[in-house]
Amino acid sequence: MKHDDTPRSVRIAVGLWLAIAVFVLFTTAGLWFQRGEVQRLTGWTSGQVTSFLGTLTAVAVIFVVAYAWLTRLFLKRKNWARIALSLIAIVHMIWILFVGISASSLVTLLLICAAIVFTWQARTAQWLAEVREQ
């Protein structure tokens, strides 16, 4: 597949999905450096903070792997990957709302919304349909 036959909407969607994955990794890693602040804000013991951050990290890695894998398949014109990306993103948004809103989670929510918009644009659907027609 030549790169130049990929529509702009697809390239933007792919960039956004990958940006989400990278952003989630960096913000999760950043929390480990702020564990003292997390402990101060929550009043939790060091063990509770470690357990909380461990859970957040495990979930973040699951989302990152899912985004990276599904984005790769989406770029290979797998329509089901587009659907799966959107479903994973919805689960991710619910997870963010469950864990709590912060500045970084708002950025993640905005990136997810933008990625979904570009993933479902008419030109993207047309690009995916071209493969089924061949």
Side-chain angles (χ1 to χ4, degrees):
M1 178 178 75
K2 295 184 310 245
H3 177 70
D4 46 289
D5 74 339
T6 307
R8 186 168 185 258
S9 61
V10 173
R11 291 193 308 269
I12 292 170
V14 166
L16 286 167
W17 289 120
L18 296 177
I20 292 164
V22 170
F23 189 72
V24 166
L25 272 182
F26 279 113
T27 55
T28 304
L31 284 174
W32 284 95
F33 291 103
Q34 297 174 329
R35 57 179 288 118
E37 183 68 8
V38 172
Q39 188 170 357
R40 187 185 68 73
L41 288 171
T42 59
W44 294 343
T45 66
S46 179
Q48 288 172 314
V49 171
T50 300
S51 176
F52 173 73
L53 292 177
T55 301
L56 278 184
T57 302
V59 172
V61 167
I62 290 167
F63 282 122
V64 166
V65 169
Y67 285 135
W69 179 64
L70 290 169
T71 299
R72 185 169 179 262
L73 293 172
F74 170 59
L75 199 50
K76 290 184 174 189
R77 294 184 169 189
K78 305 292 185 199
N79 190 54
W80 66 267
R82 175 172 75 147
I83 297 164
L85 271 169
S86 301
L87 292 174
I88 291 290
I90 291 166
V91 170
H92 192 181
M93 287 191 279
I94 292 167
W95 168 255
I96 288 170
L97 295 173
F98 174 75
V99 171
I101 295 295
S102 65
S104 64
S105 64
L106 286 174
V107 171
T108 305
L109 289 171
L110 288 172
L111 286 170
I112 288 171
C113 289
I116 288 173
V117 166
F118 282 99
T119 299
W120 289 94
Q121 279 194 345
R123 181 62 189 105
T124 304
Q126 180 185 1
W127 177 75
L128 288 167
E130 288 169 3
V131 171
R132 291 193 297 269
E133 291 168 3
Q134 293 173 359

